[in-house]
Amino acid sequence: MFAQKKIIYALNKADLGSVSLVDVWVRYLTDSKNAAVVLDSTASKSANLIPPLAKKMCAEKLDRFMARGIKTSVRALVAGVPNCGKSTLINNLANKAKTVTGNKPGVTKGMQWVKVTEYFEVLDSPGTLYPKLIDENTARRLAYIGSIKDEVFDKTELSLFLIEDLLKVNPQILSERFKIVSTGKAHEDLENMALSRGYILKGGAPDTDRMAAAFIDDFRKGRLGRITLDMPPDKN
């Protein structure tokens, strides 16, 4: 669908990602036709670099229209997985609330054109996912960030996979946030995290369900630090 189009990859919520790995992704996605930008759409005017970049990338086409005396503008589709901040990005571009936003997938229900400048318009769209997620690892990581509705996954089970992934990134993440020493076993770490937080059921058993929900919320809101779980594929 996008093969013949110029693309600006907006690495939104980049303030939640590893600085060095975000830079790796920027280099991977930037080439002679496409560009990648790093931003946090919740920060006022952080998306202001996108309209002039879009105009520059489409300069040749705009000049052709201008030579024929036709005034035109760049029209761009804003596409991405659910809950990645598309509507927030558009509101940032427009410097006002033009679209409805929410911290959950499925808030945007339809398509809506928003005029940003005289030469730049963007089309808001509902979140887009594969028709069927065959790769379980991809599905889990989309669930970590809230791109798949929480009702689809068991949060306690999901939290165990997240613990395993974080231990691979940095074994100190859990100890720094929850004041525990990781055992290397996700279910034991989750129990110890619950005990450390004081999430205890009657009889003294750790409330792992409550801890799982709090843990995933901590991850989504950046309380565990700046974390990137995926590396770009090898271009070779």
Side-chain angles (χ1 to χ4, degrees):
M1 182 177 177
F2 299 127
Q4 304 305 316
K5 304 293 184 181
K6 295 180 184 294
I7 300 171
I8 297 176
Y9 294 98
L11 303 185
N12 197 21
K13 303 186 182 182
D15 56 308
L16 302 179
S18 161
V19 175
S20 60
L21 291 183
V22 167
D23 289 341
V24 170
W25 275 104
V26 170
R27 292 194 295 272
Y28 174 78
L29 294 169
T30 301
D31 55 31
S32 58
K33 188 181 76 169
N34 305 314
V37 297
V38 175
L39 52 86
D40 168 14
S41 291
T42 63
S44 178
K45 299 182 180 180
S46 63
N48 282 3
L49 73 167
I50 291 180
L53 177 58
K55 187 176 183 180
K56 180 180 178 181
M57 291 172 67
C58 297
E60 185 178 336
K61 187 174 183 179
L62 292 173
D63 288 344
R64 286 202 306 269
F65 277 100
M66 185 71 72
R68 293 160 55 191
I70 302 173
K71 183 179 179 181
T72 188
S73 61
V74 176
R75 307 188 89 196
L77 168 67
V78 180
V81 297
N83 200 36
C84 68
K86 297 182 297 298
S87 297
T88 303
L89 169 61
I90 291 173
N91 289 341
N92 193 306
L93 284 166
N95 289 316
K96 62 180 69 175
K98 292 281 191 177
T99 61
V100 179
T101 63
N103 190 27
K104 60 180 181 179
V107 173
T108 301
K109 302 298 183 183
M111 312 289 271
Q112 176 185 352
W113 280 104
V114 175
K115 188 171 183 177
V116 176
T117 70
E118 287 188 4
Y119 64 84
F120 190 52
E121 296 177 66
V122 292
L123 179 61
D124 193 15
S125 65
T128 306
L129 282 175
Y130 300 102
K132 186 176 182 180
L133 282 164
I134 299 174
D135 187 321
E136 291 184 3
N137 189 54
T138 299
R140 284 196 296 267
R141 291 187 174 183
L142 287 168
Y144 292 164
I145 61 174
S147 292
I148 297 176
K149 291 182 178 181
D150 288 334
E151 296 79 11
V152 175
F153 280 85
D154 179 281
K155 272 198 172 181
T156 302
E157 182 180 1
L158 185 66
S159 72
L160 297 178
F161 285 110
L162 179 55
I163 289 173
E164 291 175 355
D165 278 344
L166 294 184
L167 289 175
K168 295 173 186 175
V169 173
N170 179 2
Q172 300 302 313
I173 290 175
L174 300 182
S175 61
E176 291 173 0
R177 176 65 181 172
F178 302 103
K179 312 304 179 186
I180 67 166
V181 177
S182 175
T183 65
K185 296 179 180 179
H187 68 281
E188 292 181 4
D189 284 349
L190 184 63
E191 290 177 353
N192 290 333
M193 288 156 58
L195 294 173
S196 177
R197 277 277 179 93
Y199 296 167
I200 301 171
L201 299 168
K202 287 184 179 180
D207 189 344
T208 52
D209 289 344
R210 183 182 176 190
M211 185 65 245
F215 174 53
I216 292 172
D217 187 61
D218 279 353
F219 174 76
R220 290 175 181 173
K221 293 181 178 176
R223 298 183 186 125
L224 303 180
R226 301 185 63 156
I227 300 165
T228 298
L229 296 176
D230 291 300
M231 287 288 291
D234 190 341
K235 282 190 174 182
N236 297 324

